[in-house]
């Protein structure tokens, strides 16, 4: 979704943000990660209040989306704020009452930096979530802190012969690693869709 | 019509460089792609040009590197809003690759390893406007940025600069590529802000 801001002197700039909500025809939820020296995200997170107007356009693309008519299992791999567009798929699945089995691996720096924590904890029938922590884990966590690897993908995801569609979203480092592991484990590159944040 | 965003001032404007409408400058080099990064061993890599008659020209990696190359310094404009100034590339001009190719076709569909496609008018590939780039910033082009070699067409939005380029098919009728089929603009001129179909 494109957000355009215009200053009083006519200067205008735009940014693209991922939609976190399932389409309901009325509202749209964007998740904005604040960058301290950013031009737009501090304005959106600190300054913007209810009643202010912004210009929105989109969403455009239609590639990194899940459609309920897809019947194959779905494998979601999220790194950090890369969870956002995958959360939109989980919410879409919930909104239409789909029984398509989903598995999610969510790699976060630490429990404190997790997004959508309580919503994921409540869970959905048919959605299995596995957490990978890269810096610090919750107490008594079975898996030590570390980056996503082949064993995490094998135990938390679908085997390649189930032919899931895989959606991978996160930083470039995360996407390169996770998508590369999926291919190495035998998932067909044509069933792996990727999206990245700078 | 534009809505003034109460309290928004924006950053100091860069007087040296001009940004196309709606773009902002980044000094990083963001990576975007629709699928996994393909690995193409150099001894299996080849680039093909196929014409409307079915005739073809083919270059191996060694043959590509043996062609005269240029070192363009260009500005990049990505449809996701970032622009990057003064990027330094090395590559072979499409003028060199297409000079002995018999064709009267007006359109090209560029294919990548990994099945990405994008469409470009042939005139936008000629006259010093496009290269098959194999080095970036003095180094071999990294895989996530399209290595071993990518198309570089910097006067159009950067999705037109297909990573992992494999084949250029010349045709009389325009055929839309991957992003063009799902809503992005058929031509993609950043200075006319042609982001999406209908712009």
């Amino acid at each position: 979704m494109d957000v355009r801001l215009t200053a009083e002197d006519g200067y205008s700039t735009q940014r693209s943000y991922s939609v976190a909500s399932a389409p309901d025809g009325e509202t749209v939820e964007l998740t904005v990660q604040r960058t301290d020296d950013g031009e737009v995200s501090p304005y959106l997170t600190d300054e913007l209040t209810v009643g202010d107007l912004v210009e929105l356009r989109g969403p455009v693309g239609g590639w990194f989306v899940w459609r309920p008519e897809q019947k194959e299992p779905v494998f979601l791999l999220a790194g950090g704020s890369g969870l956002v567009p995958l959360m939109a798929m989980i919410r879409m699945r919930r909104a239409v009452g789909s029984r398509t089995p989903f598995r999610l691996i969510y790699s976060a720096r630490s429990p404190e930096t997790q997004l959508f924590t309580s919503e994921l904890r409540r869970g959905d029938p048919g959605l299995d979530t596995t957490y990978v922590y890269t810096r610090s884990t919750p107490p008594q966590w079975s898996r030590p802190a570390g980056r996503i690897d082949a064993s995490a993908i094998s135990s938390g995801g679908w085997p390649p012969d189930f032919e899931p569609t895989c959606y991978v979203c996160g930083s470039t480092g995360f996407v390169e690693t996770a998508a590369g592991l999926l291919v190495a484990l035998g998932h067909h590159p044509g069933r792996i869709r990727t999206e990245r944040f700078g | 019509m534009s809505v003034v965003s109460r309290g928004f001032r924006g950053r100091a404007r860069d007087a040296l460089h001009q940004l196309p409408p709606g773009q902002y400058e980044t000094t990083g080099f963001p990576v975007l792609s629709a699928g996994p990064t393909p690995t193409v061993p150099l001894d299996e890599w080849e680039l093909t040009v196929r014409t409307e008659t079915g005739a073809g020209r083919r270059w191996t990696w060694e043959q590509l590197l043996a062609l005269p190359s240029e070192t363009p310094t260009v500005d990049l404009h990505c449809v996701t809003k970032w622009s990057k100034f003064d990027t330094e590339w090395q590559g072979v001009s499409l003028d060199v690759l297409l000079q002995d190719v018999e064709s009267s076709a007006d359109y090209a569909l560029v294919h990548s390893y990994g099945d990405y496609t994008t469409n470009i008018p042939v005139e936008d590939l000629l006259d010093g406007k496009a290269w098959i780039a194999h080095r970036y910033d003095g180094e071999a082009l990294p895989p996530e940025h399209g290595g071993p070699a990518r198309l570089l067409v910097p006067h159009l939005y950067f999705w037109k600069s297909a990573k992992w380029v494999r084949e250029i098919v010349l045709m009389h009728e325009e055929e839309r590529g991957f992003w063009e089929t799902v809503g992005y603009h058929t031509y993609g001129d950043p200075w006319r802000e042609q982001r999406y179909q209908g712009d």
Side-chain angles (χ1 to χ4, degrees), chain B residues 62-92:
Chain B
E62 284 75 25
Q63 288 167 336
L64 180 83
L65 295 191
L67 294 172
S69 70
E70 298 176 3
T71 53
T73 297
V74 298
D75 298 342
L76 310 177
H77 307 296
C78 178
V79 73
T80 65
K81 319 292 178 325
W82 59 265
S83 291
K84 184 172 173 61
F85 296 128
D86 297 330
T87 61
E88 296 176 7
W89 301 82
Q90 183 179 342
V92 178

Side-chain angles (χ1 to χ4, degrees), chain A residues 2 16 37 43 52 57, chain B residues 6 11 13 33 81 196 199:
Chain A
D2 291 355
S16 298
D37 60 350
Y43 174 82
D52 287 344
R57 189 171 182 205
Chain B
R6 181 197 54 77
R11 196 171 268 164
R13 276 52 124 189
S33 66
K81 319 292 178 325
Y196 310 122
D199 282 348

Side-chain angles (χ1 to χ4, degrees), chain A residues 1-16 37-40 43 47-49 52-55 57 60-64 172 175-176 179-180 183 188-190 192-198, chain B residues 1-13 19 21-25 29-37 79-82 114-115 143-144 163-164 178-179 181-184 193 195-199:
Chain A
M1 177 76 84
D2 291 355
V3 177
R4 181 208 289 267
L5 300 180
T6 304
E8 280 192 23
D9 66 0
Y11 169 77
S12 134
T13 193
Q14 303 180 34
R15 296 294 186 275
S16 298
D37 60 350
E39 182 183 32
V40 171
Y43 174 82
E47 181 75 23
L48 189 73
T49 61
D52 287 344
L53 295 175
V54 292
E55 281 180 86
R57 189 171 182 205
V60 175
W63 166 247
F64 201 76
T172 287
V175 172
E176 289 295 312
V183 172
H188 190 274
I192 305 170
R193 302 187 185 199
T194 63
E195 177 102 304
R196 308 154 194 255
F197 301 109
Chain B
M1 191 224 54
S2 64
V3 173
V4 171
S5 319
R6 181 197 54 77
F8 176 70
R9 282 186 303 280
R11 196 171 268 164
R13 276 52 124 189
L19 280 168
Q23 296 291 110
Y24 66 91
E25 183 185 356
F29 194 171
V31 172
L32 295 147
S33 66
T37 297
V79 73
T80 65
K81 319 292 178 325
W82 59 265
D115 293 339
E144 70 270 24
K163 294 176 177 180
W164 315 302
F178 178 82
W179 288 118
T181 308
V182 296
Y184 286 84
E193 206 171 358
R195 297 182 193 277
Y196 310 122
Q197 293 291 333
D199 282 348

Side-chain angles (χ1 to χ4, degrees), chain B residues 1 3 9 33-34 43 46 55 60 66 83 96 119 129 135 144 149-150 171 182 188 195:
Chain B
M1 191 224 54
V3 173
R9 282 186 303 280
S33 66
D43 56 1
E46 56 184 29
T60 65
S83 291
V96 172
N119 56 281
K129 294 197 288 285
R135 293 178 75 77
E144 70 270 24
R150 76 182 297 164
M171 48 186 74
V182 296
R195 297 182 193 277

